[in-house]
């Protein structure tokens, strides 16, 4: 893992008036570029050659400048550093460049790159969730399965390849890999609240080390399970799958906001105990039971795709900001504020 | 029930230029305070001590002033009256202070408090729905159950504790209380249109006594039933429950707006026949069948939580107002207009 | 079919400074009138007498002027032409006036009326979808049914009357008409992306003949199947039906936008090959499988009701326009631009 000081050194060399926001043209890039444009920050899109046309189709969402590539195998760090770029590591960025690149690159990244390592390892993630004081689904080994469980295999990207099993026998029949995670199936409604933690801001949910802002909420839409009720009622057999293909919006009962903010607070407090703190956008993936208790089954230590529902703000940001504010815009605001206060090192690593 | 004249007297003592909007910090409070702020009306939040921090997290949704309490057992009416406060009785307000307090307090409340009594009693509610000319689900006694029915037990708050039964035997096995309501189960899609009825306004759907405005629509999200299809397809047994945990948005076919507005009109006309009229926000909870007929299973005679989806307006308010208008803001507008026209007594009781 | 030149002649007689937008008061009329008002174009609503009150209830969505009728049997073409009206043929317009009227009327209509003929015939529609290079569900005859299929009978309006069958025997038992279309049932999640194709515009997804803009996405809500999971979990038998009663919003994974835009591109390219080109709003109805492949089961060659979710713009239009832009407004913009550039004939037929 590259040292925090080394990134701080790179940042020192940056022309603070020419800072740019860069990311891969995928995932939440339109939102990130759109938000940066609203704040007057120039953007750079690392883009597959045949995807440029797609981004050009959105004049207010496309980057100001492209770095066209044939594949995402190599991060153009030198070029980006020369352009005073701060990378926003969204989900595809993390997936395409991979753990190794992200841990070693000299390119400054928004947030704490350590958090990406912690979200990326199932063991670390569970340690983090538990240390955060969150209720988590029970974990099983294949032999001890005694109730419905979700099995996530290691290769499973975006939910593709998840499976539900209820017994050791069913596990044996269905799971052929050796790298898996078995989690109790919790009945309820999935909720994906999006947060932003800022060590600079003083508005929002006040914490010792900064301020926690509730940005929005989504639920993921997964093919085929999301419309499986249609097959069920028609008597059509269907092996459910969990490939995330989109997102839909919702609000929760106002009285549940307390529990949700406290979950976010726990995640942040723990991140400081475990690895120097998480800053910027994150999401705590939860299930709300019929007793209105939340079980957390994942943390995303970065901007999540569900925020794409809200490029002009969400029901929650109406109560927090004077202007329509997406998570993408909030990132740009944080970078501007940090640059002004000469505290970039606190929100970028 | 305190007399209308007595409330009118309290209002006479109010400084019309210092009127404040007050409610309990729960349910739709962020929206109500946000809307009042947009209209330049100061707000007071009656708030549990350990919830203040939650409301402070939303600078544009928090109240201007708090009355901090240990519990909601006692309504601080004297303090509120001294501060020229008009209470907005949202769902939690009604639940926490209870029928008795609401019927007797000298505190002026937005709308007609009689309507809260009528929505709160199952018998009165049915009388109201029928008098409104609405199609309602058939009501059963335990012995006459001959089709799928929803049983709502008296303690059931927010849907928690609803059950589905299909025969007298099943009823006997499942229902242990003596206070219940048995309603035919209607197949279709739930629709919760939000209305605002104003005796002052002249825009909107014109009625004899004022104007009916269509604010927005939601559907409630209930745990566990809302995602029960996931259990079903995976072969996981689930006893469905109906605890409301959130809301999601939708629009209906434009040709259905007529039926929906006419349902709202019926409810208002009936409210004048039965108890002196309902003014302000309300919701008519309906099911839309595959023949595009609406069955009404409930009326909420106050702002509902589904309006929280639309703090900056809904698809329908775009067609009604020149500025982004939530139901919370609409309430503030009505109070301002009534104060200006010296007609507060018509919309406050 | 009336000749394009004849419509061009009618347009020549129009006072370009007094052009009006006209449509039937139904379907997407509020959005269309609202959008025209935003662009300063006066509107005319052809309206059933007892629906006028509904439209008057929406001061920013109602037309500037009404033509009140007892039924939609006769298109008031002379009156509309005298008023320099351009008709917007939304779904109800097409349904109420019918193929024959639409093909023969001298009234200028936004878009290419040929496209309505092509969307309205199942055979032509399939030819179009295939020529567009889209994956389509397999079509069956009653005898060859060997998997779950959706049967659409000819009278089926708005999904009412669709059925699912899995064998020739089941077909025989359930389907009593002789006019039907049998389509493979594809498992996945339905997606209804809304496009706008402009031969004038240069922003958006660049194509040989113009520019393709991605407006928004919805999913249709159909009674009773949309909430059939509630019956299923409660053990209530339900014959699913597919009557469209509303729409809900969603966004798709950003990486899927490419496939969606390319589907739209294929539809446009094909429309020029087959019948002189589709311009203006359209929708490609698709199912997204768990392999993230799209199957197209329909094209709507006109504004669809799902756009009613977005009268102030969608997550996607945020990235395309500087101001809140609905599909209704986009139509008005196109008419204005075409009038200014003296190219009305290209977007109106």
């Amino acid at each position: 893992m590259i040292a925090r000081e080394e990134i701080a050194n790179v940042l020192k060399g940056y022309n603070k008036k020419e800072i740019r926001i860069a990311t891969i043209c995928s995932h939440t890039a339109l939102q990130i570029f759109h938000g940066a444009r609203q704040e007057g920050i120039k953007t750079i899109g690392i883009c597959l050659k045949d995807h440029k046309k797609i981004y050009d189709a959105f004049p207010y969402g496309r980057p100001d400048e492209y770095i066209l590539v044939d594949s995402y195998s190599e991060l153009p760090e030198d070029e980006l550093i020369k352009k005073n770029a701060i990378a926003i590591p969204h989900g595809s960025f993390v997936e395409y460049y991979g753990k190794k690149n992200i841990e070693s690159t000299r390119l400054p990244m928004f947030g704490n790159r350590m958090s990406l390592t912690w979200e990326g390892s199932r063991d670390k993630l569970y340690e983090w969730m538990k240390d955060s004081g969150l209720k988590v689904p029970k974990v099983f080994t294949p032999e001890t399965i005694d109730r419905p469980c979700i099995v996530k295999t290691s290769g499973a990207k975006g939910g593709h390849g998840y499976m539900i099993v209820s017994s050791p026998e069913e596990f044996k029949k269905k799971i052929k890999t050796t790298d898996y995670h078995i989690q109790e199936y919790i009945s309820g409604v999935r909720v994906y609240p999006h947060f932003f933690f800022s060590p600079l801001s003083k508005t929002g949910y006040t914490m010792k080390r900064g301020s926690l802002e509730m940005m929005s909420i989504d639920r993921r839409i997964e093919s085929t399970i999301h419309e499986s009720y249609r097959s069920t009622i028609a008597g059509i057999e269907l092996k459910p799958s969990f490939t995330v293909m989109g997102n839909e919006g919702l609000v929760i009962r106002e009285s549940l906001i307390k529990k949700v903010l406290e979950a976010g607070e726990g995640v942040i407090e723990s991140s400081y105990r475990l690895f120097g703190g998480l800053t910027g956008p994150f999401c705590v993936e939860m299930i709300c039971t019929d007793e209105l208790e939340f079980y957390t089954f994942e943390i995303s230590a970065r901007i999540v795709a569900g925020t794409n529902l809200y490029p002009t703000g969400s029901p929650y940001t109406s109560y927090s900001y004077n202007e329509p504010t997406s998570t993408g815009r909030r990132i740009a605001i944080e970078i501007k504020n940090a640059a002004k206060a000469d505290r970039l090192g606190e929100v970028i690593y």
Side-chain angles (χ1 to χ4, degrees), chain A:
Chain A
M1 179 79 64
I2 192 165
R4 200 156 187 135
E5 298 73 45
E6 213 167 324
I7 300 298
N9 267 333
V10 174
L11 277 173
K12 259 185 217 149
Y14 273 24
N15 178 347
K16 298 292 180 302
K17 296 199 167 141
E18 294 290 333
I19 278 177
R20 294 183 182 203
I21 279 174
T23 198
I24 281 182
C25 285
S26 187
H27 194 269
T28 42
L30 290 166
Q31 186 201 150
I32 290 168
F33 298 145
H34 180 254
R37 174 171 281 111
Q38 291 174 305
E39 294 300 318
I41 301 182
K42 294 268 190 234
T43 55
I44 302 166
I46 309 160
C47 190
L48 293 178
K49 279 174 185 151
D50 68 341
H51 280 60
K52 178 175 184 296
K53 193 177 170 181
I54 304 303
Y55 283 81
D56 280 339
F58 298 97
Y60 295 91
R62 77 176 153 216
D64 292 294
E65 184 186 332
Y66 288 97
I67 296 178
L68 295 176
V69 296
D70 287 313
S71 79
Y72 292 125
S73 52
E74 221 171 312
L75 181 59
E77 58 175 9
D78 290 341
E79 185 175 354
L80 287 168
I81 290 174
K82 222 165 58 188
K83 294 182 180 202
N84 304 297
I86 292 164
I88 314 298
H90 56 47
S92 303
F93 189 100
V94 171
E95 187 188 332
Y96 293 149
Y97 287 130
K99 199 170 170 288
K100 236 185 74 183
N101 267 311
I102 284 175
E103 291 184 350
S104 62
T105 181
R106 293 172 57 243
L107 180 66
M109 298 202 317
F110 188 68
N112 174 2
R113 70 183 71 193
M114 288 287 286
S115 70
L116 301 170
T117 301
W118 278 74
E119 76 156 29
S121 142
R122 288 246 162 75
D123 288 344
K124 279 196 163 64
L125 178 63
Y126 249 77
E127 188 186 337
W128 186 7
M129 294 195 296
K130 280 181 176 170
D131 186 70
S132 302
L134 302 168
K135 276 197 194 75
V136 294
K138 221 182 141 181
V139 174
F140 288 87
T141 60
E143 300 74 35
T144 58
I145 296 173
D146 64 356
R147 69 194 73 182
C149 288
I150 293 197
V151 182
K152 307 180 179 182
T153 55
S154 194
K157 294 282 173 211
H160 190 66
Y162 284 16
M163 248 172 285
I164 291 174
V165 304
S166 292
S167 68
E169 292 70 38
E170 202 182 346
F171 179 90
K172 224 168 152 182
K173 205 159 59 183
K174 285 187 173 174
I175 312 297
K176 299 301 174 199
T177 64
T178 55
D179 191 4
Y180 47 72
H181 175 80
I182 311 172
Q183 213 174 59
E184 180 186 13
Y185 178 91
I186 306 280
S187 289
V189 173
R190 295 159 303 133
V191 191
Y192 300 78
H194 319 137
F195 300 98
F196 192 95
F197 179 69
S198 166
L200 307 169
S201 167
K202 286 195 164 48
T203 55
Y205 184 79
T206 311
M207 289 170 52
K208 211 169 32 182
R209 294 185 157 89
S211 174
L212 181 66
E213 298 164 27
M214 184 159 162
M215 304 303 299
S216 43
I217 311 178
D218 83 294
R219 284 191 310 149
R220 297 196 185 143
I221 305 180
E222 297 156 337
S223 182
T224 58
I225 198 169
H226 201 84
E227 300 205 342
S228 63
Y229 64 89
R230 299 171 79 89
S231 299
T232 303
I233 198 73
I236 297 173
E237 223 174 297
L238 177 74
K239 198 168 76 72
S241 41
F242 299 84
T243 309
V244 180
M245 56 70 63
N247 306 82
E248 58 184 5
L250 75 156
V251 295
I252 52 169
R253 276 171 90 134
E254 193 161 304
S255 53
L256 294 176
I257 294 176
K258 187 168 188 285
K259 284 184 187 180
V260 166
L261 277 171
E262 286 169 354
E265 179 180 30
V267 165
I268 294 298
E269 295 291 0
S270 169
S271 75
Y272 278 94
R273 279 193 296 273
L274 297 177
F275 55 82
L278 163 65
T279 64
F282 66 104
C283 176
V284 182
E285 283 93 344
M286 308 196 289
I287 290 167
C288 178
T289 71
D290 55 358
E291 300 294 336
L292 300 178
E293 291 194 303
F294 290 94
Y295 282 82
T296 299
F297 57 95
E298 228 169 275
I299 299 172
S300 294
R302 44 162 184 83
I303 187 169
V304 291
T307 60
N308 284 342
L309 286 159
Y310 307 109
T312 56
S314 80
Y316 295 99
T317 56
S318 308
Y319 305 138
S320 292
Y321 311 104
N322 206 11
E323 286 184 73
T325 305
S326 68
T327 294
R329 185 176 194 176
R330 186 63 188 83
I331 290 171
I333 292 171
E334 189 76 352
I335 291 175
K336 269 175 69 174
N337 288 348
K340 253 186 248 166
D342 204 18
R343 291 171 66 181
L344 277 175
E346 285 174 55
V347 298
I348 288 160
Y349 171 30

